[in-house]
Amino acid sequence: MAAPKTLRRLAPDRLRDDPRLRALALGAGLIPPRTMHSQAEAALLAKLAKDARRVVELGVYEGSSALVLCRALGAGAELHLVDPFIDSTGWALPRGARASATATRLAVRRAARRQGPAVRWHFSRSQDVGRSWTGGPVDLVFIDGDHSPEGCREDWEVWHGHVSPGGAVSFHDARAATAARDRRAWSTSCSGRRTPAGRSPRRSILWWS
Ligand SMILES: C[S@@+](CC[C@H](N)C(=O)[O-])C[C@H]1O[C@@H](n2cnc3c(N)ncnc32)[C@H](O)[C@@H]1O
């Protein structure tokens, strides 16, 4: 069980932000994954994942959104988590931040243990995983990995064709400071395309800040 929040808050930032200490504490279950989204965003993610059979998350970090997905998905579902745990373009995380694949894996395993989805890990760039994907149609692709304009565009290019009829692609940080203009620009251009669902792409593509 995680230590109480009031106790964790007493730790100075220097300790709280140390990647190695975080990894030890996260892996041991003493702290939860660092939250990277608002409650409203978590609620939307859970809503999109409800009843999905296969979900792919691109960019996992410490697993906060993966835990939301674990709770939303049933035991019969698959959750694919994609992260090389290297921020090669420098757009994915604040400077100095990094997560440990082992610690995140332990945190997700604990969350999925009871009635959770089958979790499949891919420790590679999401663009490479998408290009060689043979895992079948995906009901939800959640894009939150490489935030560079090129990385986002490539994620869209390689993943949107894997989305099942009626499924969704969603982007996080579409309105966040630096990447905002680019993400907005290309998500608008994406909305001119049709998904395999043959539905209005506007209903199939969601993005939020
Ligand atoms: C903003 S964090 C993800 C946050 C996570 N979705 C959450 O809510 O806790 C971005 C993550 O993307 C990962 N990343 C960077 N480049 C990537 C790529 N090309 N493919 C997949 N993940 C990538 C980083 O290692 C980092 O863990």
Side-chain angles (χ1 to χ4, degrees), residues 7-45:
L7 197 64
R8 286 186 268 126
R9 280 204 178 128
L10 292 177
D13 288 351
R14 186 168 45 83
L15 289 185
R16 249 193 304 198
D17 293 341
D18 183 287
R20 271 176 300 187
L21 279 182
R22 290 197 65 81
L24 282 174
L26 179 67
L30 296 173
I31 58 168
R34 176 166 268 157
T35 305
M36 304 293 271
H37 46 255
S38 67
Q39 285 186 355
E41 290 166 351
L44 176 57
L45 192 58

Side-chain angles (χ1 to χ4, degrees), residues 89-169:
T89 63
W91 281 75
L93 289 169
R95 190 188 292 267
R98 75 175 179 276
S100 144
T102 306
T104 301
R105 203 172 176 168
L106 288 170
V108 172
R109 188 193 292 168
R110 276 194 296 273
R113 208 166 28 199
R114 281 200 203 97
Q115 301 293 313
V119 177
R120 312 260 185 265
W121 280 95
H122 307 262
F123 297 108
S124 304
R125 290 175 71 247
S126 52
Q127 296 82 4
D128 299 337
V129 175
R131 208 170 287 112
S132 57
W133 179 255
T134 53
V138 180
D139 301 314
L140 170 65
V141 178
F142 175 46
I143 301 182
D144 193 19
D146 176 3
H147 288 47
S148 71
E150 301 75 22
C152 297
R153 187 180 297 278
E154 206 182 338
D155 271 334
W156 166 257
E157 296 292 349
V158 301
W159 280 102
H160 82 275
H162 298 308
V163 176
S164 58
V169 178

